[in-house]
Amino acid sequence: MTRPSLNALFASLVTTLTLSFTTTAQAQVGLAQLQAGDRPVTLLYPTSSMTQPTAFGRITLDVAMGAEPTPGRHRLVLMSHGSGGSPAPDHALAATLVRAGFVVAQLLHEGDNYLDQRKAGPESFRLR
C-alpha cells in the first residue's frame, strides 16, 4: 500500500475544512436578550430561522429575534464592550462568529455602559 503524498493530504484537508465552513456559514443569527441577575446579556446564536432588520434604538441589526437555536453543541465566546459602550458596535464580529457556529454572549457592564458611566475607567477595569 502506498502512502499518500503530503500535497494530497493537504489538498484533502483543505477540501474538508472548506466544506465544513461552507455548511456552517449558512447559519443565520438569532438574538435573545436575557438577564444574568440584574445585568442584561445579549445572546447571539446560530439558527436556521430567517433574519429581518430589527431596530435597537438608532441602530438596526439583521437578526432573528427569539428564534430557535440550531441543535447541537456550540462553543461559547464572551465579548466585553468598551468603556461606556454597548454590544451593538461589536455586532459584525459577533455575527461572524455566530455564522461560524459559535454562541456569543455580551454582558452589559454595570456602571460602565452607554446608559450608566458612573464606574467608567479604572474602577470598571478592575471589576471586569
Side-chain angles (χ1 to χ4, degrees):
M1 175 177 224
T2 62
R3 292 175 37 168
S5 72
L6 187 55
N7 286 340
L9 287 173
F10 181 73
S12 176
L13 177 63
V14 168
T15 301
T16 302
L17 288 174
T18 301
L19 290 174
S20 67
F21 287 141
T22 302
T23 303
T24 305
Q26 300 305 315
Q28 299 292 313
V29 179
L31 188 146
Q33 293 178 312
L34 312 170
Q35 289 291 125
D38 59 344
R39 296 183 187 177
V41 176
T42 299
L43 189 67
L44 297 153
Y45 53 90
T47 183
S48 59
S49 299
M50 293 305 298
T51 61
Q52 62 183 12
T54 305
F56 294 89
R58 299 183 318 188
I59 297 172
T60 300
L61 304 176
D62 197 29
V63 295
M65 287 296 297
E68 283 292 317
T70 301
R73 296 178 63 146
H74 305 282
R75 293 186 179 188
L76 176 65
V77 175
L78 301 175
M79 291 181 67
S80 176
H81 62 74
S83 191
S86 77
D90 298 323
H91 181 74
L93 174 58
T96 299
L97 289 166
V98 168
R99 288 185 191 101
F102 292 89
V103 170
V104 178
Q106 298 171 288
L107 176 75
L108 194 64
H109 296 290
E110 179 188 359
D112 189 8
N113 60 65
Y114 74 108
L115 297 170
D116 177 9
Q117 287 110 36
R118 63 191 155 81
K119 295 181 182 178
E123 182 180 356
S124 176
F125 304 154
R126 282 189 294 277
L127 293 173
R128 291 180 190 207

